[in-house]
Amino acid sequence: MEEFEDKGGVGRTELENLGEFGLIDRLTQDLPIHNPQSTLKAVGDDAAVLKVPEGHVQLVSKDLLIEGIHFDMTYCPLKHLGYKAIAVNLSDIAAMNAKPLQVLVGIAVSNRYSLEALEELYAGMRLCCDRYGVDLVGGDTTSSVSGLCISVTVLGSALPERVCYRSGAKENDLLCVSGDLGGAYAGLLLLEREKREFLANPNVQPDFKDFSYVLERQLKPEPRTDIVDLLARLDVKPTSMIDISDGLASEILHLSKESSCGCMLYQSKIPVDAETCKALEIFNILPEVAALSGGEDYELLFTISQKDYEKIKDVPEIRIIGHMVEAAQGNYMVPENGTMIPLTAQGWQAFNKR
Ligand code: ADP
Ligand code: MG
């Protein structure tokens, strides 16, 4: 994570000394354009001018991130937050089997934040945009009475016949997942533990050695646009797809409900990384519980027709973890031996009391 190292020694320029236009200028100067065919005019006028590639349809999605609800400034560095704010939006476009092309960023910010802090946030956003070839084409900037709000809108495109919905799964389709699960939740548990210890004794330095993978999974998730490309190369079109933001159980229930199916998930096939298991052990949490209910892994969950089995069976980035059944059979996790466990959505709920 070299590009995320704390450079230290940054100054503090108050936003009121800069004004709205000064701030926008500083944050948006020298933004590169990765998609000149599609991004005809980016930041700098009253609106951006975009062109959807020939024969493609346009996809749009938006996510809102609020300080104290979606992120905690005590352990979320601003550069990571910027990266994540973009990444989670790109993930939504990937989940439609499409390619993200542009983002718009709205921020509402209190005077608690300095220019340097916002430049860190934007450095993270730029890094993610550059890595995934996405153009930052506009936004809006305003003040807030408390804290930071970030709203990101993402635009993408795909050939209409490649777009995948949540609703296309059929009985007997294979349920697949990319990467591994539960890591982001393990990272969150470690960060929360450090926060408690820091509040009790601010002189204690965090002990994060051996856990860099799970911390990255929490602080700097990667959208799986590579899986979209891989599926195209394999000539596989998923019958349904969703990204895993709220935990595997909740996303399976979404696919099942939208597709009018049920699902059998094989417990032993759920991919969890060894470091994730080690971190979860500290908190006495079973790996499958973190995978099912943890959330924020931003992997892709999708179904494929059985006829595509041969094409994906040896692809290391994709695991078959279950199959779809008729709706009347319900949604269950099936252990190797023992009774079937009904799947319930205990993932992240935006309206839970906290
Ligand atoms: P207007 O008053 O017409 O809304 P603004 O002064 O808010 O225009 O914005 C000027 C330009 O800067 C526009 O192109 C807008 O999209 C862009 N912009 C404003 N705020 C942001 C931001 N936070 N991030 C990226 N671009 C921004
Ligand atoms: Mg504006």
Side-chain angles (χ1 to χ4, degrees):
M1 282 212 283
E2 198 186 323
E3 59 275 69
F4 279 89
E5 265 166 31
D6 191 356
K7 301 290 187 301
V10 285
R12 184 179 166 97
T13 309
E14 301 300 332
L15 295 182
E16 59 211 34
N17 299 333
L18 205 66
E20 182 191 326
F21 300 125
L23 175 61
I24 294 173
D25 280 350
R26 286 291 287 267
L27 296 180
T28 61
Q29 68 188 352
D30 302 325
L31 281 170
I33 291 183
H34 302 283
N35 305 295
Q37 253 78 327
S38 173
T39 305
L40 306 185
K41 173 72 190 174
V43 171
D45 214 312
D46 293 310
V49 182
L50 310 176
K51 189 172 192 291
V52 182
E54 200 65 43
H56 284 218
V57 287
Q58 184 158 57
L59 295 97
V60 188
S61 178
K62 173 193 276 299
D63 261 330
L64 201 50
L65 293 171
I66 308 293
E67 182 173 350
I69 306 281
H70 302 101
F71 59 93
D72 183 333
M73 290 314 306
T74 25
Y75 55 66
C76 190
L78 278 160
K79 197 166 179 180
H80 290 78
L81 179 61
Y83 193 97
K84 185 168 176 173
I86 301 294
V88 301
N89 276 276
L90 306 190
S91 177
D92 279 323
I93 298 294
M96 300 299 289
N97 206 29
K99 181 177 165 53
L101 292 171
Q102 292 95 10
V103 289
L104 293 126
V105 177
I107 52 171
V109 55
S110 80
N111 57 14
R112 196 151 57 70
Y113 290 84
S114 64
L115 168 66
E116 289 75 13
L118 294 179
E119 282 182 330
E120 276 293 292
L121 180 77
Y122 267 67
M125 290 189 187
R126 283 169 183 246
L127 193 60
C128 190
C129 284
D130 291 345
R131 188 162 291 171
Y132 292 94
V134 168
D135 301 328
L136 206 175
V137 298
D140 200 21
T141 307
T142 185
S143 53
S144 103
V145 280
S146 76
L148 175 65
C149 305
I150 309 167
S151 157
V152 178
T153 301
V154 60
L155 299 147
S157 86
L159 289 169
E161 63 273 18
R162 292 295 301 173
V163 176
C164 292
Y165 298 91
R166 296 177 179 185
S167 56
K170 298 272 180 296
E171 213 183 310
N172 298 323
D173 281 356
L174 302 172
L175 181 71
C176 306
V177 71
S178 66
D180 58 79
L181 302 175
Y185 184 61
L188 179 67
L189 291 174
L190 284 172
L191 289 164
E192 283 182 339
R193 183 182 70 168
E194 289 317 316
K195 180 182 173 181
R196 285 193 302 274
E197 288 176 4
F198 176 80
L199 292 176
N201 182 358
N203 296 321
V204 175
Q205 286 296 309
D207 178 15
F208 284 150
K209 62 174 187 316
D210 304 336
F211 291 117
S212 59
Y213 178 67
V214 296
L215 290 172
E216 275 204 38
R217 295 289 286 169
Q218 169 58 222
L219 293 173
K220 198 175 78 63
E222 304 291 353
R224 299 308 305 260
T225 55
D226 60 322
I227 298 293
V228 174
D229 297 337
L230 178 64
L231 289 168
R233 282 203 304 280
L234 296 170
D235 190 29
V236 173
K237 187 197 166 189
T239 52
S240 70
M241 184 144 71
I242 191 168
D243 67 330
I244 304 185
S245 53
D246 296 345
L248 180 60
S250 159
E251 314 302 358
I252 287 177
L253 293 175
H254 281 305
L255 286 188
S256 287
K257 180 161 180 273
E258 294 303 317
S259 299
S260 305
C261 280
C263 182
M264 296 293 142
L265 167 68
Y266 321 135
Q267 181 170 347
S268 65
K269 302 289 183 197
I270 302 173
V272 182
D273 180 81
E275 185 183 305
T276 303
C277 293
K278 211 170 103 195
L280 291 170
E281 231 170 72
I282 302 174
F283 302 96
N284 269 320
I285 290 178
L286 294 172
E288 58 272 21
V289 172
L292 286 169
S293 307
E296 295 204 286
D297 287 314
Y298 296 103
E299 295 295 339
L300 294 177
L301 179 72
F302 54 95
T303 53
I304 62 165
S305 159
Q306 294 227 5
K307 72 171 170 45
D308 288 329
Y309 170 73
E310 289 293 327
K311 295 183 193 164
I312 67 136
K313 72 179 194 339
D314 296 322
V315 178
E317 280 304 286
I318 298 175
R319 296 289 182 80
I320 299 168
I321 57 169
H323 71 275
M324 307 309 282
V325 295
E326 60 179 354
Q329 289 191 48
N331 295 276
Y332 287 92
M333 182 164 77
V334 190
E336 285 200 314
N337 43 42
T339 47
M340 294 185 353
I341 302 160
L343 287 177
T344 54
Q346 284 156 336
W348 164 262
Q349 301 269 310
F351 293 100
N352 271 0
K353 270 222 189 86
R354 70 191 76 239

